[in-house]
Amino acid sequence: MIPAATLLERLAALIHQSVRDDAARHGLLPIQLQVLAYLAHANHYSDFPIAVAEYFGITRGTVSQTLGVLERKGLIVKQPDSRHGKRVHLHLTQSGQELLDDSWASRLTSALKEARDVDAVSLEEGLRGVLVALQRQNDHQAFNVCRHCVHFLEEGEGYRCGLTSEPLEPEQTLKICREWTAPKA
Ligand code: SF4
């Protein structure tokens, strides 16, 4: 195994352990904390139950139970989609965001900011390349950051999704999307 692969394995194990510890500290199961973190970063095409099931590779039943717990604990709220009849978007409450701020997700962000001082562009590009390659190998849906999607369009001062033709708010362009498609190599 090449050293970079060993490092990635070690990072994955550390993050996994932190998720378990943080979840226990907050009285949650690890998957419940992970779903909360996912929803904090999912764009408006990806913040509903079926997208959660696809992202984690879990059943709709497990998603439904998980979301039920998060909702009862006041960590998320459901918001009906004004244009798509039965669809509901899932948003973090202030309590949900505060819980996440006191968990592995914020420590990982701090660590990444420190690493960014070393070489921000090559670190992000390298990690993105590994992620895309693994998703291709495993035939997984390619959730990834909107700005690096083949459909992402910059138009004057604004942004647009070339797949849906809808305008994108700047903050949406930094979130992850279930419709993400890799640019051609
Ligand atoms: S540009 Fe791509 S990633 Fe962004 S919203 Fe559209 S499909 Fe999703």
Short mmCIF file of all heavy atoms in Angstrom, two decimals, residues 14-15 17-26 28 30 32-38 40-41 92 95-111:
data_model
loop_
_atom_site.label_atom_id
_atom_site.label_comp_id
_atom_site.label_asym_id
_atom_site.label_seq_id
_atom_site.Cartn_x
_atom_site.Cartn_y
_atom_site.Cartn_z
N LEU A 14 -9.67 7.43 12.37
CA LEU A 14 -9.76 8.48 13.39
C LEU A 14 -11.11 9.18 13.36
O LEU A 14 -11.73 9.44 14.40
CB LEU A 14 -8.66 9.53 13.16
CG LEU A 14 -7.35 9.37 13.90
CD1 LEU A 14 -6.40 10.49 13.50
CD2 LEU A 14 -7.59 9.42 15.42
N ILE A 15 -11.56 9.48 12.14
CA ILE A 15 -12.86 10.16 12.00
C ILE A 15 -13.97 9.24 12.50
O ILE A 15 -14.87 9.67 13.24
CB ILE A 15 -13.09 10.57 10.53
CG1 ILE A 15 -12.12 11.69 10.15
CG2 ILE A 15 -14.53 11.03 10.31
CD1 ILE A 15 -12.09 12.01 8.66
N GLN A 17 -13.83 6.89 14.70
CA GLN A 17 -13.78 6.83 16.17
C GLN A 17 -14.36 8.11 16.78
O GLN A 17 -15.12 8.06 17.76
CB GLN A 17 -12.33 6.64 16.61
CG GLN A 17 -12.20 6.29 18.08
CD GLN A 17 -10.73 6.04 18.44
OE1 GLN A 17 -9.88 5.86 17.56
NE2 GLN A 17 -10.45 6.03 19.71
N SER A 18 -14.01 9.27 16.20
CA SER A 18 -14.52 10.54 16.72
C SER A 18 -16.04 10.62 16.58
O SER A 18 -16.72 11.13 17.48
CB SER A 18 -13.91 11.72 15.95
OG SER A 18 -12.55 11.82 16.23
N VAL A 19 -16.56 10.13 15.46
CA VAL A 19 -18.01 10.14 15.25
C VAL A 19 -18.69 9.32 16.34
O VAL A 19 -19.68 9.75 16.94
CB VAL A 19 -18.37 9.58 13.85
CG1 VAL A 19 -19.88 9.38 13.72
CG2 VAL A 19 -17.88 10.51 12.76
N ARG A 20 -18.14 8.13 16.60
CA ARG A 20 -18.74 7.26 17.63
C ARG A 20 -18.72 7.94 19.00
O ARG A 20 -19.71 7.95 19.73
CB ARG A 20 -17.98 5.94 17.71
CG ARG A 20 -18.33 4.94 16.63
CD ARG A 20 -18.01 3.51 17.07
NE ARG A 20 -16.69 3.42 17.67
CZ ARG A 20 -15.58 3.04 17.02
NH1 ARG A 20 -15.67 2.74 15.74
NH2 ARG A 20 -14.42 2.96 17.64
N ASP A 21 -17.57 8.54 19.36
CA ASP A 21 -17.43 9.19 20.67
C ASP A 21 -18.38 10.38 20.80
O ASP A 21 -19.05 10.55 21.83
CB ASP A 21 -15.98 9.67 20.88
CG ASP A 21 -15.01 8.51 21.02
OD1 ASP A 21 -15.47 7.37 21.19
OD2 ASP A 21 -13.79 8.76 20.93
N ASP A 22 -18.41 11.22 19.75
CA ASP A 22 -19.27 12.41 19.80
C ASP A 22 -20.75 12.02 19.86
O ASP A 22 -21.53 12.63 20.58
CB ASP A 22 -19.04 13.29 18.57
CG ASP A 22 -17.73 14.05 18.65
OD1 ASP A 22 -17.22 14.24 19.77
OD2 ASP A 22 -17.22 14.46 17.60
N ALA A 23 -21.13 11.02 19.06
CA ALA A 23 -22.52 10.59 19.05
C ALA A 23 -22.92 10.12 20.44
O ALA A 23 -23.98 10.51 20.97
CB ALA A 23 -22.71 9.47 18.02
N ALA A 24 -22.07 9.31 21.08
CA ALA A 24 -22.39 8.81 22.42
C ALA A 24 -22.51 9.98 23.41
O ALA A 24 -23.40 10.00 24.27
CB ALA A 24 -21.30 7.83 22.87
N ARG A 25 -21.62 10.95 23.28
CA ARG A 25 -21.63 12.12 24.19
C ARG A 25 -22.94 12.89 24.05
O ARG A 25 -23.43 13.47 25.02
CB ARG A 25 -20.42 13.00 23.84
CG ARG A 25 -20.10 14.09 24.81
CD ARG A 25 -18.64 14.56 24.64
NE ARG A 25 -18.30 14.87 23.26
CZ ARG A 25 -18.54 16.04 22.68
NH1 ARG A 25 -19.12 17.00 23.37
NH2 ARG A 25 -18.18 16.26 21.43
N HIS A 26 -23.51 12.92 22.85
CA HIS A 26 -24.74 13.67 22.62
C HIS A 26 -25.99 12.78 22.69
O HIS A 26 -27.09 13.22 22.33
CB HIS A 26 -24.69 14.36 21.26
CG HIS A 26 -23.70 15.49 21.19
ND1 HIS A 26 -23.82 16.63 21.95
CD2 HIS A 26 -22.56 15.63 20.48
CE1 HIS A 26 -22.80 17.45 21.69
NE2 HIS A 26 -22.02 16.86 20.81
N LEU A 28 -26.70 10.15 20.84
CA LEU A 28 -27.16 9.77 19.50
C LEU A 28 -26.43 8.52 19.03
O LEU A 28 -25.37 8.17 19.57
CB LEU A 28 -26.86 10.90 18.50
CG LEU A 28 -27.58 12.23 18.68
CD1 LEU A 28 -27.00 13.27 17.73
CD2 LEU A 28 -29.08 12.10 18.47
N PRO A 30 -24.19 6.85 15.93
CA PRO A 30 -23.30 7.46 14.94
C PRO A 30 -24.00 7.88 13.65
O PRO A 30 -23.77 8.98 13.14
CB PRO A 30 -22.26 6.37 14.69
CG PRO A 30 -22.20 5.61 15.98
CD PRO A 30 -23.62 5.62 16.50
N GLN A 32 -26.97 8.84 13.22
CA GLN A 32 -27.80 10.04 13.44
C GLN A 32 -26.95 11.30 13.37
O GLN A 32 -27.34 12.31 12.78
CB GLN A 32 -28.53 9.92 14.78
CG GLN A 32 -29.56 8.79 14.78
CD GLN A 32 -29.99 8.34 16.16
OE1 GLN A 32 -29.44 8.76 17.17
NE2 GLN A 32 -30.99 7.46 16.20
N LEU A 33 -25.77 11.24 13.95
CA LEU A 33 -24.87 12.40 13.90
C LEU A 33 -24.35 12.61 12.47
O LEU A 33 -24.23 13.75 11.99
CB LEU A 33 -23.69 12.17 14.86
CG LEU A 33 -22.71 13.31 15.04
CD1 LEU A 33 -23.41 14.59 15.47
CD2 LEU A 33 -21.65 12.93 16.07
N GLN A 34 -24.08 11.52 11.77
CA GLN A 34 -23.59 11.64 10.39
C GLN A 34 -24.66 12.23 9.47
O GLN A 34 -24.34 13.03 8.58
CB GLN A 34 -23.14 10.27 9.88
CG GLN A 34 -21.84 9.80 10.49
CD GLN A 34 -21.52 8.37 10.11
OE1 GLN A 34 -22.28 7.44 10.40
NE2 GLN A 34 -20.41 8.18 9.44
N VAL A 35 -25.91 11.85 9.68
CA VAL A 35 -27.00 12.41 8.86
C VAL A 35 -27.13 13.91 9.13
O VAL A 35 -27.33 14.71 8.22
CB VAL A 35 -28.33 11.66 9.12
CG1 VAL A 35 -29.51 12.41 8.51
CG2 VAL A 35 -28.25 10.25 8.54
N LEU A 36 -26.99 14.28 10.39
CA LEU A 36 -27.04 15.72 10.74
C LEU A 36 -25.94 16.47 9.99
O LEU A 36 -26.18 17.54 9.42
CB LEU A 36 -26.84 15.86 12.25
CG LEU A 36 -27.31 17.15 12.91
CD1 LEU A 36 -28.81 17.35 12.74
CD2 LEU A 36 -26.93 17.16 14.39
N ALA A 37 -24.74 15.92 9.97
CA ALA A 37 -23.61 16.56 9.28
C ALA A 37 -23.87 16.61 7.77
O ALA A 37 -23.58 17.62 7.11
CB ALA A 37 -22.31 15.81 9.56
N TYR A 38 -24.44 15.54 7.23
CA TYR A 38 -24.76 15.53 5.79
C TYR A 38 -25.73 16.66 5.45
O TYR A 38 -25.52 17.42 4.49
CB TYR A 38 -25.36 14.18 5.38
CG TYR A 38 -25.99 14.23 4.01
CD1 TYR A 38 -25.21 14.16 2.86
CD2 TYR A 38 -27.37 14.40 3.86
CE1 TYR A 38 -25.78 14.24 1.60
CE2 TYR A 38 -27.95 14.49 2.61
CZ TYR A 38 -27.15 14.42 1.48
OH TYR A 38 -27.71 14.53 0.24
N ALA A 40 -26.24 19.40 6.86
CA ALA A 40 -25.62 20.73 6.98
C ALA A 40 -24.91 21.12 5.68
O ALA A 40 -24.69 22.30 5.43
CB ALA A 40 -24.64 20.75 8.15
N HIS A 41 -24.55 20.12 4.86
CA HIS A 41 -23.76 20.40 3.65
C HIS A 41 -24.50 20.07 2.35
O HIS A 41 -23.94 20.25 1.27
CB HIS A 41 -22.45 19.60 3.69
CG HIS A 41 -21.60 19.96 4.86
ND1 HIS A 41 -21.00 21.19 4.98
CD2 HIS A 41 -21.27 19.28 5.97
CE1 HIS A 41 -20.33 21.25 6.12
NE2 HIS A 41 -20.48 20.11 6.74
N LEU A 92 -31.38 21.92 9.41
CA LEU A 92 -30.93 21.91 10.80
C LEU A 92 -31.56 23.07 11.56
O LEU A 92 -31.69 24.18 11.03
CB LEU A 92 -29.40 22.07 10.87
CG LEU A 92 -28.58 20.79 10.92
CD1 LEU A 92 -28.74 19.99 9.65
CD2 LEU A 92 -27.12 21.10 11.19
N SER A 95 -30.34 24.34 17.39
CA SER A 95 -29.80 23.30 18.28
C SER A 95 -29.00 22.28 17.50
O SER A 95 -27.95 21.80 17.95
CB SER A 95 -30.93 22.57 19.02
OG SER A 95 -31.66 23.46 19.78
N GLY A 96 -29.49 21.91 16.31
CA GLY A 96 -28.77 20.95 15.47
C GLY A 96 -27.42 21.49 15.06
O GLY A 96 -26.42 20.77 15.08
N GLN A 97 -27.40 22.78 14.67
CA GLN A 97 -26.13 23.37 14.24
C GLN A 97 -25.16 23.48 15.42
O GLN A 97 -23.96 23.21 15.27
CB GLN A 97 -26.39 24.76 13.64
CG GLN A 97 -25.16 25.38 13.00
CD GLN A 97 -24.57 24.52 11.89
OE1 GLN A 97 -25.26 24.18 10.93
NE2 GLN A 97 -23.29 24.13 12.03
N GLU A 98 -25.71 23.82 16.61
CA GLU A 98 -24.83 23.94 17.79
C GLU A 98 -24.23 22.59 18.16
O GLU A 98 -23.06 22.49 18.52
CB GLU A 98 -25.62 24.52 18.97
CG GLU A 98 -25.85 26.02 18.83
CD GLU A 98 -26.82 26.58 19.85
OE1 GLU A 98 -27.27 25.82 20.73
OE2 GLU A 98 -27.14 27.77 19.75
N LEU A 99 -25.07 21.54 18.05
CA LEU A 99 -24.55 20.19 18.35
C LEU A 99 -23.43 19.82 17.37
O LEU A 99 -22.39 19.29 17.76
CB LEU A 99 -25.71 19.19 18.29
CG LEU A 99 -25.41 17.77 18.77
CD1 LEU A 99 -26.69 17.13 19.32
CD2 LEU A 99 -24.84 16.89 17.67
N LEU A 100 -23.66 20.15 16.11
CA LEU A 100 -22.65 19.82 15.10
C LEU A 100 -21.36 20.63 15.32
O LEU A 100 -20.26 20.13 15.08
CB LEU A 100 -23.22 20.12 13.71
CG LEU A 100 -22.67 19.32 12.54
CD1 LEU A 100 -22.79 17.83 12.79
CD2 LEU A 100 -23.39 19.72 11.27
N ASP A 101 -21.54 21.88 15.77
CA ASP A 101 -20.36 22.72 16.04
C ASP A 101 -19.51 22.15 17.18
O ASP A 101 -18.35 22.51 17.33
CB ASP A 101 -20.79 24.15 16.40
CG ASP A 101 -21.36 24.89 15.19
OD1 ASP A 101 -21.12 24.44 14.07
OD2 ASP A 101 -22.05 25.90 15.40
N ASP A 102 -20.14 21.30 18.00
CA ASP A 102 -19.43 20.68 19.12
C ASP A 102 -19.17 19.21 18.81
O ASP A 102 -19.46 18.33 19.61
CB ASP A 102 -20.29 20.83 20.39
CG ASP A 102 -19.61 20.18 21.59
OD1 ASP A 102 -18.37 20.18 21.67
OD2 ASP A 102 -20.35 19.65 22.46
N SER A 103 -18.68 18.95 17.62
CA SER A 103 -18.48 17.55 17.25
C SER A 103 -17.29 17.42 16.30
O SER A 103 -16.64 18.41 15.96
CB SER A 103 -19.75 16.98 16.59
OG SER A 103 -19.85 17.49 15.29
N TRP A 104 -17.08 16.18 15.85
CA TRP A 104 -15.94 15.90 14.99
C TRP A 104 -15.92 16.77 13.74
O TRP A 104 -14.86 17.10 13.22
CB TRP A 104 -15.94 14.42 14.62
CG TRP A 104 -16.40 14.15 13.22
CD1 TRP A 104 -15.62 13.92 12.14
CD2 TRP A 104 -17.75 14.11 12.73
NE1 TRP A 104 -16.38 13.72 11.02
CE2 TRP A 104 -17.70 13.83 11.36
CE3 TRP A 104 -19.00 14.27 13.34
CZ2 TRP A 104 -18.85 13.72 10.59
CZ3 TRP A 104 -20.13 14.16 12.57
CH2 TRP A 104 -20.04 13.90 11.22
N ALA A 105 -17.12 17.16 13.24
CA ALA A 105 -17.18 17.91 11.98
C ALA A 105 -16.42 19.23 12.09
O ALA A 105 -15.69 19.62 11.19
CB ALA A 105 -18.63 18.15 11.60
N SER A 106 -16.57 19.93 13.23
CA SER A 106 -15.88 21.22 13.37
C SER A 106 -14.39 21.00 13.61
O SER A 106 -13.56 21.79 13.13
CB SER A 106 -16.50 22.05 14.49
OG SER A 106 -16.38 21.39 15.70
N ARG A 107 -14.03 19.91 14.31
CA ARG A 107 -12.59 19.65 14.52
C ARG A 107 -11.93 19.29 13.19
O ARG A 107 -10.79 19.68 12.92
CB ARG A 107 -12.40 18.53 15.55
CG ARG A 107 -12.87 18.90 16.94
CD ARG A 107 -12.31 17.95 18.00
NE ARG A 107 -12.77 16.59 17.85
CZ ARG A 107 -13.97 16.16 18.27
NH1 ARG A 107 -14.82 16.99 18.85
NH2 ARG A 107 -14.33 14.90 18.12
N LEU A 108 -12.66 18.56 12.35
CA LEU A 108 -12.12 18.21 11.03
C LEU A 108 -11.94 19.47 10.18
O LEU A 108 -10.92 19.64 9.49
CB LEU A 108 -13.06 17.22 10.34
CG LEU A 108 -12.63 16.70 8.96
CD1 LEU A 108 -11.29 15.99 9.05
CD2 LEU A 108 -13.69 15.76 8.40
N THR A 109 -12.91 20.38 10.26
CA THR A 109 -12.81 21.64 9.50
C THR A 109 -11.58 22.43 9.96
O THR A 109 -10.83 22.97 9.13
CB THR A 109 -14.09 22.48 9.70
OG1 THR A 109 -15.20 21.72 9.24
CG2 THR A 109 -14.01 23.79 8.92
N SER A 110 -11.35 22.48 11.29
CA SER A 110 -10.16 23.20 11.81
C SER A 110 -8.89 22.56 11.29
O SER A 110 -7.95 23.25 10.87
CB SER A 110 -10.14 23.16 13.34
OG SER A 110 -11.27 23.75 13.86
N ALA A 111 -8.86 21.23 11.31
CA ALA A 111 -7.65 20.53 10.84
C ALA A 111 -7.41 20.80 9.36
O ALA A 111 -6.28 20.99 8.93
CB ALA A 111 -7.80 19.03 11.10
#
